Amino acid sequence: MRLRNIPGAGEVIDNSPYCIKEPVELKGKWHDFLGNNNPIHIEVGMGKGRFLMDLARLHPEINYIGIERYTSVLLRAVQKMQEDELPNVHFLCIDAATLPDIFDRNEVDRIYLNFSDPWPKDRHARRRLTSSEFLARYDLFLAPDGRIEFKTDNQDLFTFSLEEIESSDKWHLDASTRDLHHDAAMNEGNIMTEYEEKFSAVGNPICKLIASR
């Protein structure tokens, strides 16, 4: 997907107090930086940040870190934060492949993956955020009792994700559904993303899985 470049987006992000500039320097020191020992939850590919901010309002006792690689998208989240000023939210403008360079072993308690790029061509499968390559990366910094929560409307990507988890010797599928909004147990307390609202409004069923080790 081609994203429109927004002039000045990088400068706004660089000057935002919510965007961490040198996150590699915080590896193993995140709780010191955040000033508390609260759990750390991250959303990889957070888009405009509404999901993360809604969670942060509901759970001030949790630290939320949003990861978004595109400045033109992250800019929208920064603009929202200038209005809301949630103290338990921070942003990183990085490629998700570098996450093990930023978080130390057991430093993250939960990973959210929402409507990730499906990378539909087979030769790009390793770039999918639920691929075995990325599962191996998450294993390097997710706490022993941590978990991954993944949502998508893309049935092929969901099937791929289930297969990657089920074929892993480390990961376990805790729960899954191909119709989240009609699954009373899994939909309880569900926070919708912008994409989730858009896709469900046109009749696309939402898939969700929860995985742990």
Side-chain angles (χ1 to χ4, degrees):
M1 179 177 65
R2 184 181 295 275
L3 295 174
R4 181 171 62 91
N5 180 55
I6 299 178
E11 183 179 357
V12 172
I13 289 167
D14 287 342
N15 292 326
S16 171
Y18 308 110
C19 299
I20 299 169
K21 310 306 183 296
E22 300 292 340
V24 293
E25 297 180 0
L26 296 177
K27 184 175 180 177
K29 305 172 185 176
W30 279 97
H31 287 292
D32 292 337
F33 170 78
L34 295 168
N36 59 60
N37 288 316
N38 295 340
I40 296 174
H41 293 187
I42 68 173
E43 183 183 6
V44 185
M46 68 167 191
K48 298 176 183 178
R50 194 187 76 178
F51 171 82
L52 200 74
M53 294 180 202
D54 285 348
L55 277 178
R57 291 187 195 94
L58 291 171
H59 300 285
E61 76 284 1
I62 295 174
N63 298 304
Y64 291 96
I65 299 175
I67 288 91
E68 176 56 55
R69 66 178 295 185
Y70 298 109
T71 58
S72 56
V73 179
L74 181 54
L75 174 65
R76 303 308 186 195
V78 170
Q79 291 170 336
K80 290 181 183 179
M81 278 293 287
Q82 291 170 345
E83 300 173 2
D84 294 346
E85 297 185 353
L86 297 165
N88 57 331
V89 175
H90 292 83
F91 302 135
L92 302 179
C93 190
I94 60 166
D95 189 305
T98 66
L99 285 169
D101 299 325
I102 290 167
F103 295 105
D104 209 352
R105 185 166 295 277
N106 305 333
E107 207 161 26
V108 170
D109 297 276
R110 190 170 302 175
I111 299 171
Y112 295 104
L113 308 172
N114 292 318
F115 300 88
S116 310
D117 190 331
W119 291 102
K121 295 181 180 179
D122 288 344
R123 69 176 185 270
H124 294 151
R126 63 186 300 174
R127 299 186 184 184
R128 298 168 190 161
L129 293 181
T130 51
S131 68
S132 58
E133 285 85 349
F134 271 95
L135 291 175
R137 291 182 175 111
Y138 305 146
D139 183 52
L140 296 174
F141 59 83
L142 188 65
D145 59 349
R147 70 192 195 198
I148 295 171
E149 297 191 12
F150 170 60
K151 290 194 286 188
T152 183
D153 72 317
N154 187 300
Q155 294 288 336
D156 290 340
L157 177 59
F158 194 68
T159 297
F160 168 85
S161 304
L162 291 172
E163 292 173 348
E164 291 291 277
I165 291 166
E166 290 168 350
S167 65
S168 169
D169 59 358
K170 283 194 173 183
W171 292 90
H172 175 265
L173 185 67
D174 296 328
S176 70
T177 178
R178 287 186 182 267
D179 195 356
L180 174 63
H181 295 171
H182 291 94
D183 186 318
M186 289 196 70
N187 196 47
E188 184 177 359
N190 180 52
I191 302 295
M192 290 215 287
T193 74
E194 292 99 331
Y195 280 127
E196 188 171 352
E197 283 191 349
K198 175 182 177 181
F199 295 145
S200 60
V202 296
N204 293 7
I206 306 302
C207 306
K208 180 175 180 179
L209 68 78
I210 300 173
S212 63
R213 289 160 302 172

